[in-house]
Amino acid sequence: MAGASVNRIVSPGPLHCLKVILEKEGPRSLFRGLGPNLVGVAPSRAIYFAAYSNSKETLNGVFDPDSTQVHMISAAVAVKLSFCTFFSNGYKY
């Protein structure tokens, strides 16, 4: 089938999509839903960073200070703690 042409649909890029949203819905539409999202995310991130900081501080006395092991174990502890805090109350995802 030599010489056959294929028609391809080219989707608009992200800047075109942004332009259309701004024209049709206005700039406020870009931030719709931000408040409820922050209410849900902020406590989880606060627990994560507090757990990470505390475990890093503790582990710096056990391992070489600021070593890869300290960062990796601290991150694992923080993820586990923040996950258990939000999903242990019967929250279904």
Side-chain angles (χ1 to χ4, degrees), residues 8 21 43 59 90:
R8 295 196 177 169
I21 290 171
L59 291 171

Side-chain angles (χ1 to χ4, degrees), residues 30-82:
L30 297 175
F31 301 100
R32 190 173 296 138
L34 181 62
N37 187 21
L38 289 178
V39 167
V41 170
S44 172
R45 296 292 94 196
I47 290 169
Y48 175 86
F49 285 113
Y52 179 80
S53 176
N54 288 334
S55 61
K56 186 177 168 197
E57 207 172 286
T58 302
L59 291 171
N60 272 333
V62 177
F63 297 106
D64 292 333
D66 290 328
S67 65
T68 302
Q69 291 89 358
V70 170
H71 292 291
M72 296 297 285
I73 296 170
S74 296
V77 167
V79 165
K80 181 71 172 171
L81 185 63
S82 64

Side-chain angles (χ1 to χ4, degrees), residues 5 17 35:
S5 66
C17 292

Side-chain angles (χ1 to χ4, degrees), residues 76-89:
V77 167
V79 165
K80 181 71 172 171
L81 185 63
S82 64
F83 184 82
C84 288
T85 302
F86 280 92
F87 293 106
S88 64
N89 298 330

